[in-house]
Amino acid sequence: GMVAPGKGKKCSLCTKILDQIKAMAGENPDESAVEAALAKGCRGLGKRLGRVCKRLVRKYREELTDALLGAEDARTVCATIGLCPA
């Protein structure tokens, strides 16, 4: 079907943000590493993207935590929370 305008942009923003947070969490992170990554992960993304990132983390904290602990790739996670086409 037709992808709504802006959907692709949301998807790439989501994957970019998640990749950043994943990089901060490191390989096989435990819960505290994930918490720290979610807290700090939005820094260094620039002002606008940082704001989007903070909103995303607040809204989807549980999903993101599960995803990081389960080592799912960014795109899968972003599809799960509805920001990338499944």
Side-chain angles (χ1 to χ4, degrees):
M2 285 288 291
V3 177
K7 195 73 171 171
K9 191 162 166 54
K10 270 191 188 148
C11 181
S12 64
L13 281 178
C14 180
T15 50
K16 190 184 275 180
I17 287 168
L18 246 153
D19 282 335
Q20 167 89 359
I21 294 173
K22 282 170 80 74
M24 286 206 155
E27 290 293 314
N28 304 319
D30 58 14
E31 196 112 14
S32 63
V34 168
E35 285 292 314
L38 288 173
K40 291 197 299 261
C42 296
R43 286 188 215 147
L45 281 169
K47 213 178 196 146
R48 197 177 63 89
L49 197 53
R51 270 206 304 273
V52 176
C53 179
K54 286 198 183 80
R55 255 205 315 272
L56 198 76
V57 168
R58 258 206 310 276
K59 193 170 177 188
Y60 300 111
R61 180 173 280 279
E62 255 168 65
E63 290 90 337
L64 295 179
T65 302
D66 288 349
L68 290 165
L69 289 171
E72 284 179 78
D73 70 283
R75 206 191 145 90
T76 308
V77 179
C78 293
T80 303
I81 60 181
L83 294 176
C84 286

